[in-house]
Amino acid sequence: MSFLKTNTAIGLALGLTLATSANANLIINGGFEKEAVSDGSWRYFLSSAVDGWEGDNIEIWDDLNHVSAYEGEQHAELNAHPSDGTTFSIFQDFQTVANQAYSVSFAYRARRSNDEAFQFDLTSGSSSLLSELITDHTTSEWSVFNANFIGTGDTTRLMFTSVAPASGTIGNFLDAVSVNVPEPGSLALLGLGLVGLGFTRKNSK
């Protein structure tokens, strides 16, 4: 392979790698997958036993009661067997960059009643980046939440907290939690890779 072709391949690979990393989900195990839960069953776990998550217990369902996951094989129930009778909260901290734009999305569904509700929050330190009371989900299908936010620090916390029922163990399904750099950002990075490609081609002549 010639020097020119080699650098062309490297430049394209760099651009595609940057674009891919920009689109990578910053949330670990946003689908709440857990091998220990078999098809047609459920189990609850300490949040520390579910990769990526912290906070209260998490109940994992696998195609139970005719409710299939929105994405993947399994989904979570926010309301999951507390020991103190208070509201449920699960959260995950992830790395961000100040002034960088991000998109956040997740699927949600009511378990027993269309009156179920939960709070969704994004915070960085003492700053609230996004706060939404989710009240519009139904038992018949999954809904999807989408929003954008701007990072303000090195770490951002994503949190779900039960509202209705606040402390009962039936309600509020979650799945497919995702935080990404929006597509225009990934395209810009790809463009930088292509600029680098042009630079290596020019220097190779």
Side-chain angles (χ1 to χ4, degrees):
M1 183 180 291
S2 69
F3 180 80
L4 176 58
K5 289 182 178 180
T6 300
N7 281 280
T8 298
I10 292 173
L12 286 173
L14 173 62
L16 291 173
T17 299
L18 288 170
T20 300
S21 63
N23 283 320
N25 188 3
L26 300 179
I27 298 299
I28 299 171
N29 193 21
F32 301 96
E33 302 295 325
K34 187 73 176 174
E35 291 183 3
V37 182
S38 58
D39 185 40
S41 66
W42 68 273
R43 285 180 60 184
Y44 76 90
F45 302 86
L46 295 175
S47 61
S48 58
V50 181
D51 289 347
W53 296 96
E54 299 180 65
D56 291 313
N57 299 333
I58 302 176
E59 193 168 307
I60 306 295
W61 284 44
D62 191 322
D63 204 23
L64 181 66
N65 292 347
H66 307 291
V67 179
S68 297
Y70 178 81
E71 179 180 275
E73 298 296 325
Q74 298 161 342
H75 65 274
E77 183 178 10
L78 177 60
N79 303 60
H81 300 267
S83 58
D84 55 8
T86 60
T87 59
F88 302 85
S89 289
I90 60 173
F91 64 91
Q92 186 167 152
D93 295 333
F94 58 96
Q95 292 185 338
T96 48
V97 177
N99 300 317
Q100 170 67 58
Y102 297 90
S103 62
V104 57
S105 66
F106 57 86
Y108 59 101
R109 180 172 176 164
R111 173 178 171 180
R112 175 174 288 184
S113 170
N114 292 348
D115 294 329
E116 293 171 17
F118 62 93
Q119 182 72 27
F120 170 64
D121 289 289
L122 283 171
T123 57
S124 181
S126 59
S127 300
S128 175
L129 307 183
L130 186 63
S131 183
E132 293 285 342
L133 178 63
I134 308 296
T135 62
D136 63 346
H137 47 325
T138 70
T139 60
S140 59
E141 62 183 356
W142 288 96
S143 301
V144 177
F145 175 90
N146 289 287
N148 297 313
F149 68 96
I150 303 297
T152 60
D154 295 337
T155 304
T156 298
R157 173 167 292 185
L158 177 149
M159 176 179 285
F160 301 99
T161 303
S162 61
V163 173
S167 57
T169 60
I170 296 177
N172 297 298
F173 289 143
L174 297 168
D175 200 8
V177 185
S178 177
V179 174
N180 302 87
V181 176
E183 187 65 24
S186 65
L187 289 177
L189 287 173
L190 177 58
L192 288 175
L194 293 176
V195 168
L197 168 62
F199 181 75
T200 56
R201 291 186 65 183
K202 181 178 180 180
N203 282 348
S204 68
K205 290 181 180 180

mmCIF file of all heavy atoms in Angstrom, residues 6 89 94 150 162 168 182:
data_model
loop_
_atom_site.group_PDB
_atom_site.id
_atom_site.type_symbol
_atom_site.label_atom_id
_atom_site.label_comp_id
_atom_site.label_asym_id
_atom_site.label_seq_id
_atom_site.Cartn_x
_atom_site.Cartn_y
_atom_site.Cartn_z
ATOM 1 N N THR A 6 -2.173 4.822 2.548
ATOM 2 C CA THR A 6 -2.110 4.522 3.979
ATOM 3 C C THR A 6 -2.634 5.689 4.795
ATOM 4 O O THR A 6 -3.445 5.528 5.708
ATOM 5 C CB THR A 6 -0.663 4.214 4.403
ATOM 6 O OG1 THR A 6 -0.210 3.077 3.664
ATOM 7 C CG2 THR A 6 -0.584 3.927 5.893
ATOM 8 N N SER A 89 -35.473 6.402 44.463
ATOM 9 C CA SER A 89 -34.623 7.169 43.552
ATOM 10 C C SER A 89 -33.488 6.284 43.071
ATOM 11 O O SER A 89 -32.841 5.613 43.879
ATOM 12 C CB SER A 89 -34.031 8.411 44.233
ATOM 13 O OG SER A 89 -35.011 9.396 44.458
ATOM 14 N N PHE A 94 -22.249 10.559 35.176
ATOM 15 C CA PHE A 94 -21.497 10.351 33.944
ATOM 16 C C PHE A 94 -20.682 11.598 33.629
ATOM 17 O O PHE A 94 -20.988 12.694 34.090
ATOM 18 C CB PHE A 94 -22.416 9.992 32.783
ATOM 19 C CG PHE A 94 -23.495 11.015 32.492
ATOM 20 C CD1 PHE A 94 -23.317 11.973 31.516
ATOM 21 C CD2 PHE A 94 -24.686 11.007 33.210
ATOM 22 C CE1 PHE A 94 -24.297 12.922 31.239
ATOM 23 C CE2 PHE A 94 -25.680 11.951 32.943
ATOM 24 C CZ PHE A 94 -25.481 12.910 31.968
ATOM 25 N N ILE A 150 -27.136 21.466 28.200
ATOM 26 C CA ILE A 150 -25.751 21.919 28.068
ATOM 27 C C ILE A 150 -24.986 21.521 29.329
ATOM 28 O O ILE A 150 -25.407 21.822 30.446
ATOM 29 C CB ILE A 150 -25.665 23.449 27.890
ATOM 30 C CG1 ILE A 150 -26.480 23.897 26.668
ATOM 31 C CG2 ILE A 150 -24.209 23.887 27.747
ATOM 32 C CD1 ILE A 150 -25.979 23.357 25.353
ATOM 33 N N SER A 162 -39.549 8.347 42.293
ATOM 34 C CA SER A 162 -40.970 8.022 42.250
ATOM 35 C C SER A 162 -41.807 9.159 42.851
ATOM 36 O O SER A 162 -41.411 9.800 43.813
ATOM 37 C CB SER A 162 -41.245 6.721 42.998
ATOM 38 O OG SER A 162 -40.890 6.831 44.365
ATOM 39 N N GLY A 168 -45.194 3.007 47.191
ATOM 40 C CA GLY A 168 -45.694 1.672 46.907
ATOM 41 C C GLY A 168 -44.802 0.960 45.905
ATOM 42 O O GLY A 168 -44.009 1.588 45.205
ATOM 43 N N PRO A 182 -25.320 15.282 20.396
ATOM 44 C CA PRO A 182 -26.233 15.307 19.246
ATOM 45 C C PRO A 182 -25.522 15.115 17.920
ATOM 46 O O PRO A 182 -24.327 15.392 17.786
ATOM 47 C CB PRO A 182 -26.871 16.696 19.327
ATOM 48 C CG PRO A 182 -26.732 17.086 20.760
ATOM 49 C CD PRO A 182 -25.435 16.490 21.214
#
